[in-house]
Amino acid sequence: MSLRFTEKRELIARGSDIVESVPRKIKNSFDFVRPYRVTSDGKFRLKDFDTADTQGLDLKDESNVLLRKSVEKLSDLQQKLYAEDRWSLLLIFQAMDAAGKDGTIRHVMSGINPQGCQVYSFKAPSAEELDHDFLWRTTKALPERGRIGIFNRSYYEEVLVVRVHPEMLKRQQIPPELLKKNVWKNRFEDIRAFEQHLERSGTIVRKFFLNISKGEQKKRFLRRLDEPDKNWKFSDSDVQERAYWDDYMEAYEEAIRHTASAEAPWYVVPSDNKWFARLVVANVVTDTLEGLKLAYPTVDAAKKDDLTTARKHLLGEK
């Protein structure tokens, strides 16, 4: 299904035709993303998920059109979410460096009204944050009702990077007697309880692990080195952390296995192909919001009378 440049331009001009011609599986968003959804499954293994999977589809040329259609749908749903002011949606993105978190967030959320969306990128914790429990700094950034909150990295760093580099625990000033062998098990329990609390309070949680291969990461790092306009993205720490690849994969596997639930599922998104990862994430978000059965608020009789009075006033102006 790959297309020459001239054919691609013609198809983009006929965006609706592209949408109608794609396989049925991508039109049914739930079926499309189901293979990557992980709920409570103690048998989860990361190696069972192919980083280059595209479900046999070759839609790279058409992906911009398909993504635009999803963004249009998402924009409409987000306006209803904001107007209804009852639910909020928290999207958590975790990944190894160069997996495409920033690009995915930018492309999928490109049509969202900034007034109804909050994006937070969590870096190394500050001294103040280290003097609180590990959930404190992210709890402050949770989305308000009616809004979509996006965490670019999150409290999961505390069972990922901190697990790979346990010396970081010493900086958190936690009483030594509490840092026993069950520290990770305890944190998994805390995270599950926290996400259950969010769900019970009206905040829907969806978690994405952008699953990239070590080989694809190397290619992207080299592009950052070879292309001047991408040099700014590269950091020495990127290569240093790459040396811990196997440790990170083990940490991700444990984190996903112990924190996935039906209410707050993980999506292990194949990310060697950026176009496919973006389509998966877009479909998850739209499917989630559609499941809330959102609608614009209706007004009561008294409000309708006020609107009628206001209309008469405006029409009567000279």
Side-chain angles (χ1 to χ4, degrees):
M1 198 179 289
S2 293
L3 306 172
R4 294 192 303 273
F5 179 71
T6 54
E7 294 173 324
K8 177 180 176 181
R9 291 184 61 184
E10 293 174 1
L11 281 173
I12 290 177
R14 295 187 288 111
S16 59
D17 293 339
I18 291 178
V19 174
E20 289 302 316
S21 66
V22 298
R24 185 178 299 275
K25 68 168 69 175
I26 202 170
K27 294 180 184 178
N28 187 324
S29 58
F30 182 77
D31 288 342
F32 179 56
V33 303
R34 192 204 310 259
Y36 316 115
R37 180 183 172 96
V38 182
T39 55
S40 52
D41 184 0
K43 298 180 180 179
F44 169 75
R45 298 186 305 174
L46 197 53
K47 68 179 183 179
D48 293 335
F49 290 76
D50 182 3
T51 61
D53 181 35
T54 62
Q55 297 190 30
L57 303 174
D58 183 8
L59 298 171
K60 181 176 181 180
D61 292 322
E62 299 96 322
S63 63
N64 285 337
V65 175
L66 296 172
L67 185 60
R68 189 179 72 232
K69 293 296 181 182
S70 291
V71 169
E72 290 173 358
K73 182 188 296 185
L74 179 56
S75 177
D76 178 65
L77 290 166
Q78 184 255 337
Q79 291 182 51
K80 293 178 181 177
L81 177 76
Y82 185 79
E84 200 173 75
D85 196 31
R86 292 186 179 275
W87 299 93
S88 57
L89 176 63
L90 175 61
L91 307 176
I92 294 175
F93 290 86
Q94 294 286 158
M96 296 295 286
D97 292 320
K101 295 192 308 300
D102 292 345
T104 298
I105 293 169
R106 184 172 64 254
H107 282 79
V108 174
M109 300 297 160
S110 60
I112 293 294
N113 182 345
Q115 188 176 9
C117 185
Q118 305 160 207
V119 183
Y120 291 91
S121 182
F122 295 96
K123 306 296 184 183
S126 66
E128 180 187 21
E129 291 167 344
L130 288 171
D131 272 339
H132 289 80
D133 68 272
F134 77 94
L135 291 169
W136 182 75
R137 67 170 180 163
T138 50
T139 300
K140 296 191 303 176
L142 288 172
E144 304 169 41
R145 297 193 189 281
R147 289 168 171 78
I148 298 175
I150 299 171
F151 284 0
N152 186 341
R153 300 190 188 279
S154 66
Y155 45 83
Y156 278 98
E157 294 293 284
E158 297 294 331
V159 292
L160 295 169
V161 64
V162 177
R163 186 168 187 173
V164 173
H165 300 285
E167 65 274 11
M168 292 182 175
L169 280 173
K170 297 178 181 179
R171 305 174 194 167
Q172 299 183 4
Q173 303 298 323
I174 299 173
E177 58 268 28
L178 299 181
L179 294 178
K180 299 177 181 179
K181 64 179 181 179
N182 290 329
V183 61
W184 309 119
K185 176 177 178 291
N186 292 339
R187 288 195 170 187
F188 292 147
E189 291 177 354
D190 293 339
I191 289 172
R192 287 199 304 271
F194 177 65
E195 291 176 348
Q196 186 178 61
H197 161 70
L198 292 179
E199 188 267 338
R200 289 173 174 172
S201 301
T203 296
I204 306 301
V205 181
R206 294 293 181 265
K207 302 170 289 191
F208 302 94
F209 171 52
L210 302 189
N211 191 20
I212 188 177
S213 67
K214 192 174 183 180
E216 179 62 24
Q217 187 197 55
K218 180 178 180 179
K219 292 178 183 178
R220 295 183 187 181
F221 278 170
L222 289 173
R223 282 198 292 270
R224 290 181 178 183
L225 292 171
D226 295 338
E227 300 176 23
D229 61 342
K230 293 184 178 180
N231 288 169
W232 65 274
K233 291 185 177 182
F234 192 81
S235 169
D236 290 340
S237 64
D238 294 341
V239 174
Q240 294 171 10
E241 290 302 288
R242 181 175 166 81
Y244 297 94
W245 183 275
D246 291 342
D247 294 331
Y248 272 110
M249 292 302 102
E250 182 179 352
Y252 270 109
E253 185 173 272
E254 284 286 301
I256 294 170
R257 179 184 296 149
H258 291 289
T259 62
S261 67
E263 297 77 21
W266 275 98
Y267 288 86
V268 181
V269 182
S271 299
D272 281 1
N273 297 285
K274 292 181 180 180
W275 65 267
F276 189 76
R278 292 165 184 171
L279 288 179
V280 170
V281 171
N283 275 271
V284 171
V285 179
T286 54
D287 184 67
T288 299
L289 289 177
E290 286 181 329
L292 297 178
K293 308 298 183 185
L294 301 168
Y296 290 110
T298 57
V299 298
D300 56 22
K303 181 65 175 180
K304 288 182 179 179
D305 288 343
D306 290 341
L307 296 177
T308 300
T309 300
R311 182 182 183 82
K312 290 180 179 178
H313 177 77
L314 288 170
L315 292 174
E317 287 183 352
K318 296 182 179 180

